[in-house]
Amino acid sequence: MPVTGIGSVFLRAKDPEALGARQDAHPGAGPGHNGTGAKSSESGYWQTQARPSIFAPFKAATGYWPKGKACVPNLRATELSALLAWLRAAGIAAGPRAEWDTPQSGKFSRVHDPEGNPTGLWEPPEGG
């Protein structure tokens, strides 16, 4: 019986309500979102689009995200450039991480919430 995907991502937070509201507004992730930009108040779930996900452990000494943070959720996105512009317009520091981009892996960015938790944004390559 294989695992079929990511069921949830949980983060420790000093203010879970504020952090949840920010994720809801920017980048539009969480309960009620359906992966198209539209939102329904009828759904308690986040309906993501079915595509591949990556699950990979890193060495404890990695510099890929800040020390003291146990994980980095990466959210799959389409039109990453437009999403980054939308986040910047909302006053959220966001920019591409071109040094991480490859034709085989896609395009990447990283944003941090007000508590310093990193969230990756990933646009898979065509067909990925």
Side-chain angles (χ1 to χ4, degrees), residues 32 36 56 77 90 96 113 121:
T36 66
D113 67 30
L121 300 172

Side-chain angles (χ1 to χ4, degrees), residues 26-128:
H26 305 287
H33 290 276
N34 65 11
T36 66
K39 185 173 178 184
S40 168
S41 61
E42 297 177 20
S43 174
Y45 296 97
W46 179 19
Q47 300 296 327
T48 62
Q49 296 179 4
R51 304 258 325 256
S53 297
I54 297 170
F55 182 82
F58 280 66
K59 291 184 178 186
T62 185
Y64 192 60
W65 64 85
K67 291 181 179 182
K69 303 297 179 183
C71 68
V72 177
N74 281 293
L75 305 178
R76 186 184 303 111
T78 59
E79 302 177 37
L80 183 58
S81 296
L83 175 58
L84 297 177
W86 179 64
L87 291 169
R88 286 190 299 269
I92 297 168
R97 299 296 287 262
E99 68 274 18
W100 297 344
D101 297 356
T102 70
Q104 297 79 24
S105 62
K107 298 177 184 176
F108 296 88
S109 182
R110 173 82 49 83
V111 296
H112 292 82
D113 67 30
E115 295 186 12
N117 296 305
T119 298
L121 300 172
W122 171 52
E123 181 179 339
E126 293 275 329

